[in-house]
Amino acid sequence: MTNDEEPECANPLFFKWVSEWYEVARASNAKTQHTLKKACVSLQRYPLLLENAQDAVQLQGIGPGIADRLVKKLASWRKEQGIAEPAAVVSEAASGSANPETSTSTRQKTQRLYVPRYRSGAFALLIGLLKTYCLYGPDYFIPKSEL
């Protein structure tokens, strides 16, 4: 993305930084250049103003890594400009450092009952055991070869 191609976009600061990162990655032929190109195009096409850098995760090509880089760059830019951080960002940072378990969203595995697929080997074994149980009762022993 060269400077003469820069179109009007709702988030020019984020677009400028991501396009700079893209140019550096392209110059060094890094693997991230393709992801950064997608991020540039997404930022260019997104018509709404992003309130903070974490909101950019909803765009295609922008994941948590790029969003974290944007957060850090925005914080340093605000320091350079002498702009105080918004109260919402300060309160999120304070609450995030106090309780790290709530900031990371880890999913717990839910216990599910094992049900074999229809017409699989496990399904055939269960059907054989069920038929044996129905014919001979619960006390009947069936060897592996008869099953």
Side-chain angles (χ1 to χ4, degrees), residues 8-12 40-51 58-59:
E8 294 289 323
C9 72
N11 305 291
C40 284
V41 171
S42 294
L43 279 169
Q44 184 178 2
R45 292 182 181 168
Y46 191 66
L48 303 176
L49 180 67
L50 295 170
E51 294 296 324
Q58 66 188 353
L59 300 176

Side-chain angles (χ1 to χ4, degrees), residues 8-140:
E8 294 289 323
C9 72
N11 305 291
L13 201 55
F14 292 159
F15 178 76
K16 176 184 165 194
W17 293 334
V18 173
S19 61
E20 287 173 1
W21 297 335
Y22 166 69
E23 291 297 330
V24 170
R26 192 177 72 171
S28 64
N29 200 19
K31 291 181 181 179
T32 58
Q33 69 178 329
H34 304 292
T35 304
L36 290 168
K37 174 75 172 175
K38 286 182 189 177
C40 284
V41 171
S42 294
L43 279 169
Q44 184 178 2
R45 292 182 181 168
Y46 191 66
L48 303 176
L49 180 67
L50 295 170
E51 294 296 324
N52 57 37
Q54 288 298 334
D55 291 342
V57 174
Q58 66 188 353
L59 300 176
Q60 182 181 7
I62 298 180
I66 295 176
D68 288 341
R69 285 175 71 180
L70 284 171
V71 166
K72 290 175 185 172
K73 184 80 171 176
L74 184 61
S76 67
W77 179 81
R78 282 185 175 143
K79 277 186 181 178
E80 290 172 5
Q81 301 297 322
I83 301 171
E85 291 197 30
V89 174
V90 172
S91 66
E92 284 177 10
S95 68
S97 62
N99 193 358
E101 293 177 22
T102 58
S103 63
T104 59
S105 59
T106 57
R107 297 175 82 188
Q108 286 185 336
K109 277 193 165 182
T110 57
Q111 288 286 64
R112 285 194 270 164
L113 183 64
Y114 172 69
V115 179
R117 288 187 176 241
Y118 180 68
R119 298 183 72 115
S120 67
F123 183 80
L125 288 173
L126 288 177
I127 294 298
L129 288 171
L130 178 67
K131 286 184 178 180
T132 304
Y133 177 80
C134 290
L135 288 174
Y136 302 110
D139 296 329
Y140 183 77

